[in-house]
Amino acid sequence: MTKLLEVNDVSAGYHREPVIEKACFSVSQDDFIGIIGPNGGGKTTLLKVMLGLHKPFSGMVKWFLEDNPQSARQKIGYLPQINFFDIRFPISVFDVVRSGLASPDNLRGRFSRKQNHHVEEVLRLLGMSRLKNKSMGMLSGGEKQRVFLGRAIVSNPDILFLDEPGTYVDHEFESEMYDMLKNLNQHMAIVLVSHDLGMISSYIKSIICVNRVVHYHASNIISNEQLTTYNCPIQLITHGDVPHTVLNKHTQR
Ligand SMILES: Nc1ncnc2c1ncn2[C@@H]1O[C@H](COP(=O)(O)OP(=O)(O)O)[C@@H](O)[C@H]1O
Ligand SMILES: [Mg+2]
């Protein structure tokens, strides 16, 4: 399996205070990794370090995408954890999704007919065609979340990072979105941060528990004992018909 990135013994934090320690794992082409852990445990920091947006104190993140930074950018999709209350800018839904295709060639709005058509398709997939000319500021939180998901996937990246994508969307779209991610995982690696893996536990192939110390777990079945060792309090996970382990919230030390 082709390796996309490697995280080697990474520690990181802010103002010399460590937030994550001992992160050691890699991400390959077919992976679907679920990152779990308590609030403030360091999940978002870990994603930012993987994406090169935050410099680690020690250790290294190594990418195996093509060397050309421009094409590498197109190969990574990222849905950040955002406070949507701050978004008031007068840009249309269509333009936000299309901005996921931006490159020096089309920064001035020179997009091909094919690219525009592809944006329309993504909007359709997300059930947002009707609102494509609306200004972002007019949308509900869940609608904005869909638009940013569209922006993250429109370039058809090799790897897609999602930081708590279920926060603002309703239950119905959340389950639609997870089905969509399952399909996308047929041709892209997915790294998903969520406080609740319940709905997607059967899609996930491996789990990372982040509670300052980072534990990689190479399967989607994880025992209570392991969670206790990881000191990772999480919600119940069931796997439907798949042979499964039920994860209970365990006591924090
Ligand atoms: N920009 C920052 N400056 C200082 N501290 C930060 C910053 N971002 C996050 N932190 C702190 O780092 C810790 C981990 O945060 P974060 O990675 O956002 O956790 P999670 O995503 O698991 O909730 C928290 O204690 C948070 O307050
Ligand atoms: Mg976070």
Side-chain angles (χ1 to χ4, degrees):
M1 219 195 306
T2 313
K3 207 183 260 189
L4 298 177
L5 97 117
E6 214 172 67
V7 176
N8 282 325
D9 204 15
V10 162
S11 294
Y14 306 91
H15 317 294
R16 298 197 195 152
E17 277 297 312
V19 166
I20 50 170
E21 286 174 19
K22 301 182 192 161
C24 231
F25 57 90
S26 58
V27 184
S28 298
Q29 218 170 21
D30 302 332
D31 275 344
F32 196 141
I33 301 179
I35 300 184
I36 50 177
N39 281 338
K43 303 179 295 296
T44 296
T45 303
L46 178 63
L47 277 202
K48 287 185 177 167
V49 169
M50 290 164 86
L51 285 157
L53 299 172
H54 189 70
K55 201 169 175 296
F57 291 156
S58 61
M60 202 177 72
V61 176
K62 187 164 185 229
W63 279 88
F64 300 95
L65 296 172
E66 280 166 37
D67 289 340
N68 177 350
Q70 190 53 55
S71 69
R73 251 209 304 281
Q74 294 278 322
K75 288 173 185 224
I76 301 171
Y78 175 37
L79 175 69
Q81 184 175 16
I82 307 174
N83 181 347
F84 290 113
F85 298 111
D86 292 341
I87 299 171
R88 293 199 199 92
F89 50 95
I91 175 171
S92 76
V93 164
F94 185 90
D95 285 343
V96 170
V97 172
R98 194 171 61 171
S99 68
L101 294 171
S103 75
D105 273 353
N106 43 37
L107 271 182
R108 286 188 206 125
R110 287 192 213 109
F111 290 89
S112 68
R113 192 179 292 182
K114 197 171 153 205
Q115 284 176 312
N116 285 334
H117 186 72
H118 181 57
V119 173
E120 300 273 2
E121 258 174 38
V122 169
L123 285 167
R124 213 173 5 255
L125 184 73
L126 294 166
M128 291 296 290
S129 299
R130 195 173 46 88
L131 299 174
K132 70 176 181 180
N133 295 320
K134 276 246 169 187
S135 165
M136 282 298 281
M138 311 290 284
L139 304 186
S140 73
E143 287 164 346
K144 285 180 188 139
Q145 184 80 295
R146 292 183 198 215
V147 176
F148 282 102
L149 179 62
R151 183 183 192 276
I153 63 174
V154 71
S155 68
N156 224 346
D158 287 335
I159 179 165
L160 176 62
F161 292 87
L162 305 142
D163 198 348
E164 312 234 11
T167 310
Y168 293 89
V169 298
D170 58 43
H171 235 57
E172 194 181 325
F173 181 70
E174 195 177 2
S175 85
E176 271 173 41
M177 178 176 70
Y178 292 144
D179 284 341
M180 197 189 305
L181 294 181
K182 189 183 184 182
N183 282 334
L184 291 173
N185 186 225
Q186 289 169 13
H187 60 269
M188 67 181 76
I190 295 183
V191 180
L192 171 94
V193 172
S194 178
H195 57 275
D196 179 8
L197 295 182
M199 283 175 101
I200 43 164
S201 57
S202 61
Y203 303 170
I204 283 178
K205 296 169 185 165
S206 47
I207 296 173
I208 295 176
C209 288
V210 183
N211 192 3
R212 181 154 160 167
V213 176
V214 176
H215 290 277
Y216 177 78
H217 189 78
S219 116
N220 69 351
I221 299 176
I222 189 167
S223 69
N224 256 333
E225 289 72 35
Q226 283 162 325
L227 280 176
T228 311
T229 315
Y230 300 168
N231 195 17
C232 188
I234 64 163
Q235 286 86 349
L236 200 73
I237 294 184
T238 52
H239 291 291
D241 309 336
V242 182
H244 71 278
T245 300
V246 175
L247 306 178
N248 292 311
K249 189 167 179 160
H250 64 74
T251 45
Q252 260 195 294
R253 275 180 259 162

